[in-house]
Amino acid sequence: MHRVVVLLGSNVAKEHNLPAAVRLLAAGATVAAVSPVYETAPVGMEPAPHFFNAAVLLLTPLTAVELKDGLLSDVERALGRERTADRNAPRTIDLDIALYDDAIFDYIPADGRPRHVPEPDILRFPHCLQPVADLLPDLPHPETGEPLGRLAERLRRDYATAHGPTIWPRPDIHL
């Protein structure tokens, strides 16, 4: 079984879509853990509704391509995700592989857009890294070797200094 961390994001009917995505993921893989939910300001798409972001730790025998083209795509379709030319368009749900075991690799799913594991955005944006770090704070990042919890702490601080607050815990939202 592979240990895979999947990022979840929604800014359309997010109170419904994030919990629904976790339920649908659990129907196709073992959900070993779920992070807290964070409300986050949109990046590169303002003005737009705020997002809810979280992460789940899945146990699955699937390869990254099988997971992305199968279960993750199925969940996105079931929740009405429509992909457009605008990669920053509002979305009902977005599911991305953040970590796959401790591996480093590139893959190309059916949509033809190359992906990298670990997801590069976990080193760029607090809303991507923090939920992952909540699940596995002591896990070394596969490329940097630094524990995810320490990376998240530094990224949150540096990002807030440069951009102001952009991520808020939402303990009232349960997945």
Side-chain angles (χ1 to χ4, degrees), residues 89-139:
R91 63 211 60 176
T92 55
I93 195 70
D94 187 27
L95 303 174
D96 292 302
I97 298 171
L99 299 172
Y100 188 93
D101 295 326
D102 60 355
I104 301 169
F105 61 92
D106 295 306
Y107 70 102
I108 301 176
D111 67 10
R113 285 186 29 237
R115 306 296 203 296
H116 182 74
V117 172
E119 166 59 54
D121 283 348
I122 66 175
L123 293 177
R124 295 178 56 214
F125 299 112
H127 69 270
C128 294
L129 179 54
Q130 187 60 58
V132 175
D134 287 338
L135 294 174
L136 301 164
D138 298 322
L139 182 76

Side-chain angles (χ1 to χ4, degrees), residues 4 17 22 24-26 36 44 47 49 75-76 79 83 108 120 160 163:
V4 182
N17 286 321
V22 173
L24 290 167
L25 288 169
V75 170
E76 287 181 339
L79 295 176
R83 295 197 181 270
I108 301 176
H163 304 282

Side-chain angles (χ1 to χ4, degrees), residues 85 122 160 164 167 175:
I122 66 175
I167 179 171
L175 304 180

Side-chain angles (χ1 to χ4, degrees), residues 33-64:
V34 180
S35 78
V37 175
Y38 292 90
E39 183 171 350
T40 61
V43 175
M45 54 188 291
E46 297 174 45
H50 281 193
F51 278 83
F52 281 174
N53 292 98
V56 296
L57 176 61
L58 299 179
L59 302 177
T60 179
L62 301 174
T63 67

Side-chain angles (χ1 to χ4, degrees), residues 136-167:
L136 301 164
D138 298 322
L139 182 76
H141 185 281
E143 292 174 324
T144 70
E146 190 172 359
L148 294 173
R150 191 176 327 142
L151 279 169
E153 211 173 278
R154 185 174 64 248
L155 182 60
R156 260 192 345 269
R157 182 187 63 241
D158 294 350
Y159 204 86
T161 299
H163 304 282
T166 60
I167 179 171

